Amino acid sequence: MTKDIVLLGSTGSIGVQTLEVCELHGIRPLVLTAGKNTALLERQARKYRPDAVCVAEESLYNDIKTRLSDTDIKVSAGRAALCEAAARKCDTVVNAIVGVAGLYPTIAALSAGNTLALANKESLVAGGELVMGLSRESGRLIPIDSEHSAIFQCLQGRADNKINKILLTASGGPFYGYSYDMLKKVTAEQALKHPTWNMGRKITLDSATLMNKGFELIEAVWLFDTPWDKVEIIVHRQSILHSAVEFEDGSIIAQLGAADMRVPIQYALTYPKRYKTPGESFSLLNRQLTFERPDESVFLCLAAAKKAISRGGTACALLNGAAEAAGELFFEGKIPFYRIGELVMETIDNAGFSDTVDLDTIELADRTAREYVRLNAV
Ligand code: NAD
Ligand code: MG
């Protein structure tokens, strides 16, 4: 079992829940990092006493340095420092950063030969080929995303048996069953209310557009080396069955349980062992489980994700950049909800991308997508 971790993104939804799991099992956080939230980072540092903390935003160096000046906790700031933290020798690096900013520390952690428990799906969306190459050569990758943790669990004991397909479940989000016309009238407040999971702001929005499910399809393609058309997305409103694998003989192996992210976080840190649940016990009695197809003509982000992964190259980095940029414009009140899907699709259809995948071409695709979205937003 993991005894110490470097926790990237400790102040976010996954970061905070990771610290709860650490407390339960006496796992020591050696380093805690945050994007900008120095107030919470300071509180966490005082409570968990890591050797070091790091803020991604360089201009906040003095802020965090002053806050912790009465302690012997080392302080650093900026992307290079974040990558240095990810490369530090430890049992597991947990990457709970949001957005493509998480790609750099993912690369740093794996290159250093560390085991990486990955919540930051954008690493795999934008840089899947690169990241999986590194995980084959050096560091090991364990998924935290609940669906991928479920699939990972379903594949334990697989031997060399062939799989027919991966069944990736989706809650359907707050706009399940909506027509395109209905989508045109939704408010920001409605978009930020997820029916079953309590998460950070970006992933909550991505869940409402189903961009999150598109990202997860791409994540599954890379993690489980499966063609994109063998990943079937099924809407399962209850979020009880967290995903499944159908084998060649037609048997479907699934993982079910409470919708509590601390369960997959704990599994990533204690794998292959299982420990007592960090949350409430869960019963299947009197539950109804339903499964349906999502509507890609309403949720354009899903169709765009399939288009991007089928094209290959840096098309998925374009997808990720477009979704992040359109999401930011939505949060700023500059575009309505339904435009997010349109802009993501337009970017995939019109912006240039490269067949060669390396960090330079990924960064170029990310910039190209953001630029395209800004210029075509209104
Ligand atoms: P969040 O917004 O709550 O937290 C994000 C963390 O990243 C914070 O600590 C923040 O300070 C840090 N951060 C933000 N920008 C940064 C930057 N530029 N550089 C470095 N650090 C930065 O997000 P979250 O909901 O915890 O999600 C984190 C990741 O986990 C995302 O990739 C998300 O898709 C994935 N995920 C989340 C959930 C969930 O339940 N929240 C479930 C599955 C997967
Ligand atoms: Mg998920």
Side-chain angles (χ1 to χ4, degrees), residues 277-290:
T277 174
E280 304 282 303
S281 62
F282 178 81
S283 167
L284 277 174
L285 276 181
N286 300 320
R287 308 266 187 177
Q288 308 280 323
L289 305 186
T290 56

Side-chain angles (χ1 to χ4, degrees), residues 9-14 33-36 56 82 96-99 101 119-122 145 198-200 203 261:
S10 64
T11 56
S13 158
I14 294 289
T33 86
K36 291 190 184 135
L82 201 63
I97 291 172
V98 63
N120 177 259
K121 63 190 81 186
E122 294 89 348
D145 211 348
N198 189 7
M199 313 175 285
I203 185 173
M261 281 310 295

Side-chain angles (χ1 to χ4, degrees), residues 128-202:
E129 199 175 323
L130 203 65
V131 171
M132 292 317 289
L134 286 172
S135 90
R136 275 187 291 271
E137 283 162 23
S138 45
R140 184 172 67 153
L141 199 54
I142 303 179
I144 283 182
D145 211 348
S146 59
E147 296 80 359
H148 304 77
S149 174
I151 297 160
F152 182 67
Q153 293 177 55
C154 296
L155 290 171
Q156 301 301 314
R158 167 191 182 176
D160 53 3
N161 289 307
K162 285 209 187 73
I163 65 172
N164 274 350
K165 59 185 171 187
I166 287 174
L167 301 167
L168 183 72
T169 49
S171 76
F175 308 129
Y176 159 80
Y178 275 42
S179 67
Y180 206 70
D181 277 344
M182 287 163 80
L183 216 57
K184 289 196 161 177
K185 297 186 197 95
V186 307
T187 64
E189 199 197 334
Q190 286 173 306
L192 291 175
K193 236 191 228 130
H194 194 274
T196 47
W197 296 92
N198 189 7
M199 313 175 285
R201 185 173 88 141
K202 175 182 182 275

Side-chain angles (χ1 to χ4, degrees), residues 180 184 300-301 338-347:
Y180 206 70
K184 289 196 161 177
L300 298 182
C301 289
Y338 76 95
R339 278 294 287 152
I340 299 174
E342 290 184 354
L343 282 166
V344 169
M345 187 58 106
E346 287 166 28
T347 309

Side-chain angles (χ1 to χ4, degrees), residues 210-321:
L210 294 206
M211 187 70 268
N212 183 52
K213 215 42 64 177
F215 285 166
E216 291 187 352
L217 180 143
I218 297 165
E219 193 184 2
V221 164
W222 290 114
L223 281 173
F224 308 112
D225 194 20
T226 303
W228 69 270
D229 54 357
K230 298 244 184 258
V231 183
E232 187 182 347
I233 297 172
I234 44 179
V235 176
H236 165 55
R237 294 294 286 161
Q238 302 80 20
S239 297
I240 291 172
L241 190 152
H242 301 307
S243 281
V245 175
E246 183 185 305
F247 285 89
E248 200 175 19
D249 65 351
S251 294
I252 297 172
I253 310 291
Q255 188 258 349
L256 294 82
D260 184 337
M261 281 310 295
R262 290 171 304 177
V263 177
I265 292 169
Q266 173 170 290
Y267 187 71
L269 296 179
T270 64
Y271 167 79
K273 270 197 71 83
R274 293 179 186 275
Y275 286 81
K276 191 176 172 314
T277 174
E280 304 282 303
S281 62
F282 178 81
S283 167
L284 277 174
L285 276 181
N286 300 320
R287 308 266 187 177
Q288 308 280 323
L289 305 186
T290 56
F291 304 100
E292 297 152 79
R293 230 179 254 296
D295 189 345
E296 284 177 30
S297 68
V298 175
F299 296 99
L300 298 182
C301 289
L302 208 50
K306 289 188 179 174
K307 214 181 239 186
I309 187 71
S310 68
R311 290 199 177 152
T314 58
C316 291
L318 269 188
L319 178 84
N320 185 76

